[in-house]
Amino acid sequence: DLMAQLEHKLASPSAPPKLIAELVSGFATATIAAPRELPTGLVQRLEELSLLHGGEVHLHGRLFSQWMHHAFPRECPYPHAAGTTNPQTAEEWLERTGQSAMASTEEMQKIVQDSCSAGEAEGLGFVSELPWSHDEELLVTGQEATQVRRSSWNSVLCIVFISVIVVGGLLVDRRLTEKRELQRKCRLFSLLTSVVIVLQGMGMLDYSALMLPLVFGVIYIFLHQRATAAARPSAACGKAEKCLA
């Protein structure tokens, strides 16, 4: 398989057009001898493909499959754009048109001769006669699909975290109306946590940077409440001793 050979030699989903042209020119098939010099128009097409993707040609796309069809018309099928074809079996064709899907050897030879005669009359080469469309369709690899799903989950988690922080912050804020200092610290903690979550959702922070403020913030609030609760009995005892005195 020509694509398998190319993928094995490149070991990358994309490559510079010059390197691809050098490798492809060395591929031999039953109908094409190698090495050969690729037609100028074919090389120019490859250069055009690289301009669409930052200087490199994506191997797993419709345009490159079309280019391979031009380079190896008998070995590589023409990649029709999605939704533009309607494959039918011979029985379906017969039922739809009433015409036979079979052709005699003489009829097929006549079609080929007429096609070659038309190309010679227009002064076109074989490669130039092949159809070319500029519709690109890139194959999404497993890694890219995973990244897309991960990005979607990050967005959902960020929304959930921020919602929990906002709702929890409002509930805590109502209960701390008489404790202004603790109320101020909780508001500051909620604000900083929301900022960190937004930055992580934008890809500017990693998970460690996201979790550290949350963990230390929860520990700080817990210890602060414990210290406050422990200080209350001491204060009450002090007042009782003064009253007794």
Side-chain angles (χ1 to χ4, degrees), residues 76-142:
C76 299
Y78 178 79
H80 294 279
T84 60
T85 59
N86 182 25
Q88 295 179 329
T89 63
E91 291 77 12
E92 292 172 340
W93 167 262
L94 179 62
E95 181 180 356
R96 177 173 171 269
T97 63
Q99 300 177 3
S100 175
M102 304 296 292
S104 64
T105 305
E106 292 76 12
E107 290 175 334
M108 290 188 287
Q109 288 178 346
K110 185 177 185 305
I111 293 174
V112 174
Q113 290 174 358
D114 291 344
S115 177
C116 294
S117 299
E120 293 175 358
E122 296 176 6
L124 299 174
F126 184 73
V127 174
S128 300
E129 293 176 11
L130 297 178
W132 181 274
S133 68
H134 298 276
D135 298 328
E136 176 67 302
E137 296 174 6
L138 292 177
L139 174 66
V140 179
T141 62

Side-chain angles (χ1 to χ4, degrees), residues 227-245:
T228 303
R232 287 176 183 173
S234 300
C237 291
K239 291 182 180 179
E241 290 177 358
K242 288 183 180 179
C243 292
L244 292 174

Side-chain angles (χ1 to χ4, degrees), residues 197-220:
I197 291 176
V198 171
L199 292 177
Q200 195 278 334
M202 297 172 62
M204 301 175 66
L205 294 176
D206 56 10
Y207 284 100
S208 60
L210 170 65
M211 297 306 297
L212 285 176
L214 290 175
V215 173
F216 283 113
V218 171
I219 293 175
Y220 171 78

